[in-house]
Amino acid sequence: MDTHAPDPPCHGTPVVTRLPGGVGISGLTVYDWEAADGLCGGTPHMHLVCSEAYVVIDGAGSVQTLAASGFADTPLHPGDVVWFTPGTIHRLVNDGGLRLVVLMQNSGLPEAGDAVFTFPAPVLADSHAYQAAAALTCDRAAAARRRRDLALEGFLALREGGLREFHSAAHRLKSDLLDDWQIRWRDGPLAAAVETGRQLDRLRAGDLSHLGHGEVSRLECPEHPRFGMCGLLHPYPAPDPPTRPLRGSSGSPHLRPPKELL
């Protein structure tokens, strides 16, 4: 698929700027619901193409992770910054009042479905069963808690083995979203990086024109939190990329809604 970045806007055309580098940002108050293993916290899950960072602002806890390198339990205290790459299953544990600022690579992709819950293998093998287990319907708090508990069941089993099979199941569940993700990546983070390259080229040529277009943008804190994977989430909005065809393709791409909301 062509990965050509979008053409820059015409001179003087107003644009809505993204957070630097196409990063997504959310505030998170981690669930204090006790789970079957006696720990309080969020829903274990994995991202296929997004790295994630936690900036701890209050409370205490840890992030449990599972990757090909094994299981780890990393403490979290105010001032800590912890991040992990795609393929790292992660579960937040709340030891008391844990609050984070979450930074997500590829702004828009997590909200567009780049997350797979660690449900037990039979649920992962059936896309309809997976969607039913992931959905938040009716009593959203109760549904989020059931989803967490089911994912924890699968997570504890994965600690005993089966990680490669989980990766394969995750790919099957998300493969029909890859074209949409490619568009969001191209028109978000890739476009931001390409624009930096253009600015460097202009500076080398002595062209300072882009410095005359400096601006300040502001995102208001979302008023109402929603039930996320790991806690009550305040996701700061990011503008969607333009829904225009990829170069060499015909028709307008249709960005599907996320298969599950954070």
Side-chain angles (χ1 to χ4, degrees):
M1 182 175 293
D2 188 7
T3 57
H4 185 91
D7 294 328
C10 297
H11 181 74
T13 301
V15 296
V16 179
T17 59
R18 292 174 174 269
L19 284 165
V23 172
I25 182 170
S26 298
L28 179 65
T29 301
V30 180
Y31 292 135
D32 58 4
W33 304 330
E34 186 173 343
D37 61 354
L39 300 177
C40 299
T43 310
H45 62 281
M46 183 190 77
H47 301 288
L48 279 76
V49 293
C50 290
S51 292
E52 183 173 3
Y54 295 148
V55 182
V56 185
I57 59 175
D58 200 10
S62 66
V63 56
Q64 295 184 345
T65 55
L66 181 62
S69 56
F71 174 80
D73 193 355
T74 303
L76 299 175
H77 300 287
D80 289 345
V81 179
V82 175
W83 68 92
F84 40 85
T85 56
T88 305
I89 297 172
H90 46 288
R91 174 204 186 191
L92 276 169
V93 174
N94 186 356
D95 291 337
L98 186 58
R99 295 174 58 233
L100 313 170
V101 172
V102 181
L103 304 176
M104 293 294 304
Q105 185 186 17
N106 301 321
S107 176
L109 286 191
E111 290 78 12
D114 178 27
V116 180
F117 297 105
T118 56
F119 294 147
V123 179
L124 294 171
D126 183 333
S127 61
H128 296 293
Y130 179 90
Q131 293 305 320
L136 297 181
T137 57
C138 299
D139 185 339
R140 298 177 70 82
R145 190 162 185 165
R146 285 194 301 270
R147 182 173 72 178
R148 190 278 308 269
D149 292 344
L150 186 62
L152 178 59
E153 178 184 338
F155 175 70
L156 295 176
L158 282 171
R159 288 182 58 177
E160 303 301 319
L163 191 58
R164 181 174 297 180
E165 290 78 9
F166 174 75
H167 290 168
S168 296
H171 175 257
R172 287 194 303 272
L173 287 166
K174 301 297 180 175
S175 59
D176 64 338
L177 295 178
L178 295 180
D179 286 348
D180 291 348
W181 292 356
Q182 187 99 18
I183 295 168
R184 289 176 180 269
W185 161 76
R186 182 204 61 192
D187 292 343
L190 178 62
V194 169
E195 179 55 26
T196 298
R198 293 187 179 115
Q199 292 170 354
L200 288 169
D201 289 342
R202 288 196 290 267
L203 289 173
R204 288 192 182 93
D207 178 357
L208 310 182
S209 58
H210 72 278
L211 300 179
H213 298 282
E215 63 181 46
V216 176
S217 298
R218 176 186 175 91
L219 292 176
E220 298 288 344
C221 180
E223 183 177 356
H224 301 293
R226 68 191 194 197
F227 289 97
M229 297 183 186
C230 297
L232 292 176
L233 194 69
H234 289 85
Y236 287 79
D240 281 335
T243 55
R244 61 180 182 79
L246 295 169
R247 287 178 180 258
S249 66
S250 60
S252 297
H254 216 29
L255 294 182
R256 303 180 185 90
K259 288 199 169 184
E260 65 277 325
L261 293 176
L262 291 179

